[in-house]
Amino acid sequence: PYAPILAEDIYGNLGGSTESVHLADYPKADDSAIDETLERDMETARQIVELARNVRNETGIKTRQPLSELIIALDREFDLTAYEDIIKDEINIKTIAIASGDSGFVDFTFKLNLKVAGKKYGKLVGGIQAYLKQLTPEQTQAVVQSGELVYPSSEGETLIIALDELLVEKQAKAGFASASGYQLTVAVNTDITPELEQEGLVREVIRAVQDTRKKLDLPIEKRVHLTLDVDGELTAALKAFESVLMENVLLSGVDYGSSEGMERLKLGEKEIGILIGG
């Protein structure tokens, strides 16, 4: 019932050209203002963020925990530089790279495809299989990129084995988790270094302080003095990333120690005390 009245009020406040919004013509799209490249690239950025969030959900890593690297494999043009900051902010990642294929975040293992090449190589099959097992990740990557394997047989003969004569198995590199969809694949480096862990702890504290600010109904732009009662691990993390804390909660200063009137709350398995002053 209130929608027509609200629409009328907004229309009038925006300087509507007719007596009533209900007497105005429905707006027509200006086709000349449509930027199809912008729309396509923004959709790709949204899809990348969605897949990266799926990786976080599946691995149980909170968005507040920073991660080091995101690799994007896609077969279409995408202007990463224009959307890099948006993607980094949305999924809390430090660096982003574009790969033309998935070789940057998977390792390959090979076996000879006996149905295709068993008769062709005959008595050399055993040697080839043994050689395939001892290839390094760098060597297997090179084989995939070149499309062929150079095999130096024990009989002094060099064989060129085509990639389609091999069974290729993919396995995610240690420390990476990936998700695919929308004709692209993203891989997130899920290794959490001590430095990343510290920053993650600081962001948990930031969330708790922001919640406390809201409870006190403080203006968003108001700078405050913060006193924190935290353990040694959190103190070290907060001091290492003090600039992050200061910027995100608009602080004039921060002290560490216990004080009367502190709000006590749980931060995972830790208990912390927060006191916000003017």
Side-chain angles (χ1 to χ4, degrees):
Y2 57 80
I5 300 171
L6 179 61
E8 195 73 82
D9 188 53
I10 293 173
Y11 182 75
N13 289 338
L14 292 176
S17 58
T18 61
E19 181 181 350
S20 168
V21 68
H22 307 294
L23 300 176
D25 291 332
Y26 198 80
K28 294 181 180 180
D30 180 1
D31 292 339
S32 65
I34 296 174
D35 187 333
E36 293 183 356
T37 300
L38 174 64
E39 291 184 354
R40 184 193 67 233
D41 285 350
M42 193 65 216
E43 179 68 7
T44 298
R46 185 193 65 77
Q47 292 165 350
I48 290 168
V49 168
E50 180 183 331
L51 291 173
R53 283 177 175 167
N54 288 343
V55 172
R56 279 187 173 273
N57 291 337
E58 290 172 3
T59 55
I61 300 175
K62 295 179 180 179
T63 303
R64 282 187 292 274
Q65 172 59 61
L67 294 174
S68 63
E69 182 182 16
L70 171 72
I71 301 176
I72 307 164
L74 71 172
D75 57 3
R76 58 182 180 266
E77 290 186 5
F78 176 61
D79 183 10
L80 176 61
T81 56
Y83 301 90
E84 186 171 8
D85 289 342
I86 296 173
I87 298 171
K88 284 180 177 179
D89 185 61
E90 287 291 326
I91 59 177
N92 198 7
I93 207 86
K94 298 294 184 183
T95 63
I96 303 175
I98 294 284
S100 57
D102 57 9
S103 60
F105 47 86
V106 298
D107 287 330
F108 301 95
T109 57
F110 300 140
K111 294 179 181 178
L112 192 64
N113 188 337
L114 297 179
K115 289 183 179 180
V116 174
K119 290 183 179 180
K120 178 178 178 180
Y121 296 110
K123 62 181 181 179
L124 297 176
V125 166
I128 294 173
Q129 297 285 44
Y131 181 76
L132 293 173
K133 288 182 180 179
Q134 55 85 44
L135 291 176
T136 66
E138 292 75 20
Q139 289 173 322
T140 59
Q141 298 266 0
V143 171
V144 171
Q145 290 172 3
S146 66
E148 61 184 26
L149 169 73
V150 179
Y151 170 64
S153 74
S154 58
E155 298 180 2
E157 183 183 2
T158 299
L159 300 177
I160 304 299
I161 302 175
L163 194 60
D164 58 11
E165 296 178 321
L166 301 173
L167 298 174
V168 183
E169 295 180 359
K170 295 180 183 180
Q171 186 174 14
K173 283 186 176 180
F176 278 88
S178 63
S180 298
Y182 310 111
Q183 296 181 312
L184 59 90
T185 298
V186 303
V188 178
N189 188 331
T190 56
D191 280 343
I192 300 174
T193 64
E195 187 179 33
L196 289 172
E197 185 176 10
Q198 279 192 325
E199 187 177 347
L201 290 172
V202 171
R203 294 194 179 278
E204 291 288 353
V205 173
I206 289 170
R207 178 192 59 80
V209 174
Q210 296 285 37
D211 288 346
T212 303
R213 286 185 64 119
K214 289 178 183 177
K215 289 178 184 178
L216 296 174
D217 199 25
L218 295 174
I220 294 175
E221 71 281 359
K222 180 177 175 60
R223 289 192 174 273
V224 297
H225 190 277
L226 179 66
T227 304
L228 292 170
D229 184 15
V230 294
D231 64 13
E233 182 185 22
L234 272 176
T235 300
L238 288 161
K239 288 183 176 179
F241 290 91
E242 189 168 294
S243 61
V244 176
L245 176 68
M246 300 285 284
E247 291 169 5
N248 279 272
V249 290
L250 291 179
L251 299 180
S252 58
V254 57
D255 291 324
Y256 298 93
S258 182
S259 181
E260 290 186 10
M262 278 187 156
E263 180 171 353
R264 300 282 172 179
L265 49 90
K266 284 283 187 180
L267 200 68
E269 297 180 354
K270 299 177 183 291
E271 181 178 284
I272 68 172
I274 296 176
L275 180 65
I276 294 179

